[in-house]
Amino acid sequence: MYGLIGKFTAKAGTRDDLAKILLEGIGGMPGCLSYVVAVDPADDNILWITEVWENKESHEASLGLPAVQDAIKRGRPLIDGMEMIATTNPVGGYGLMAS
Amino acid sequence: MYGLIGKFTAKAGTRDDLAKILLEGIGGMPGCLSYVVAVDPADDNILWITEVWENKESHEASLGLPAVQDAIKRGRPLIDGMEMIATTNPVGGYGLMAS
């Protein structure tokens, strides 16, 4: 499996809109096993995104899906910064969906 | 919802054992919506744990469960360090199980 832990900084006042856009984009992504969008209770501009994919290729392929392309297009103007905290190899857990 | 993103450092050579112990402890935890254990491909000693709970209270209550107590007891000797990268408030996503 392939995992991502990312920290997004939204432009002031836009975090909720950005979270909504990200959540709208994640339906029906082949190979996606988990995708969680969270707000940071200590910083009004921070979003945490944690993802699990079957493999790196399925994540990369998702970036070309129309719904994801649309989310990127709408979300990008709201993003001030993106920091990849870690790429990982999940080995198991609870809440990993069948692809 | 309540989320945790943690980075564990295992003692050299024990990471796989620690991951196994953590995964054995997570069955049937009330209020747990997601719990993923991942290895860091860039560092042989690092584990990433990402969790989503109904609320902070359900996470705290889990620490008293016999299976979790047992995992803590067996896992603690293998742990060199734990860093809480973030506590979060997940707002939605894919792979969040019914509690």
Side-chain angles (χ1 to χ4, degrees):
Chain A
M1 286 183 274
Y2 177 71
L4 298 163
I5 299 172
K7 183 182 182 181
F8 284 35
T9 304
K11 290 184 181 164
T14 73
R15 182 175 71 175
D16 289 351
D17 290 337
L18 179 57
K20 196 175 163 208
I21 290 168
L22 290 170
L23 289 168
E24 285 168 0
I26 63 175
M29 298 193 292
C32 182
L33 310 183
S34 175
Y35 192 110
V36 177
V37 177
V39 299
D40 190 318
D43 186 324
D44 284 348
N45 297 330
I46 301 292
L47 280 179
W48 293 89
I49 317 291
T50 51
E51 308 174 37
V52 183
W53 297 83
E54 272 185 3
N55 49 46
K56 191 168 193 276
E57 291 68 31
S58 53
H59 171 252
E60 284 168 0
S62 76
L63 301 175
L65 296 171
V68 175
Q69 285 278 321
D70 179 62
I72 292 170
K73 187 177 166 187
R74 290 185 297 136
R76 188 179 283 146
L78 310 184
I79 296 173
D80 231 16
M82 296 168 67
E83 184 184 354
M84 188 58 66
I85 303 297
T87 60
T88 72
N89 292 126
V91 292
Y94 181 67
L96 298 172
M97 310 301 279
S99 170
Chain B
M1 287 183 274
Y2 177 71
L4 298 163
I5 299 172
K7 183 182 182 181
F8 284 34
T9 305
K11 290 184 180 164
T14 73
R15 181 174 71 176
D16 290 351
D17 290 337
L18 180 57
K20 196 176 162 208
I21 290 168
L22 290 169
L23 289 169
E24 284 167 0
I26 64 173
M29 297 192 293
C32 182
L33 309 183
S34 175
Y35 192 110
V36 177
V37 177
V39 299
D40 190 318
D43 184 326
D44 284 347
N45 296 330
I46 301 292
L47 281 179
W48 294 89
I49 318 290
T50 51
E51 309 174 36
V52 183
W53 297 83
E54 270 185 4
N55 49 47
K56 192 168 193 276
E57 291 69 30
S58 54
H59 172 252
E60 283 167 1
S62 76
L63 301 175
L65 296 171
V68 175
Q69 285 278 321
D70 180 63
I72 291 171
K73 187 177 167 188
R74 290 185 296 137
R76 189 179 283 145
L78 310 185
I79 297 174
D80 232 15
M82 295 168 66
E83 184 185 353
M84 187 59 65
I85 303 297
T87 60
T88 71
N89 291 126
V91 293
Y94 181 67
L96 298 171
M97 309 300 279
S99 171

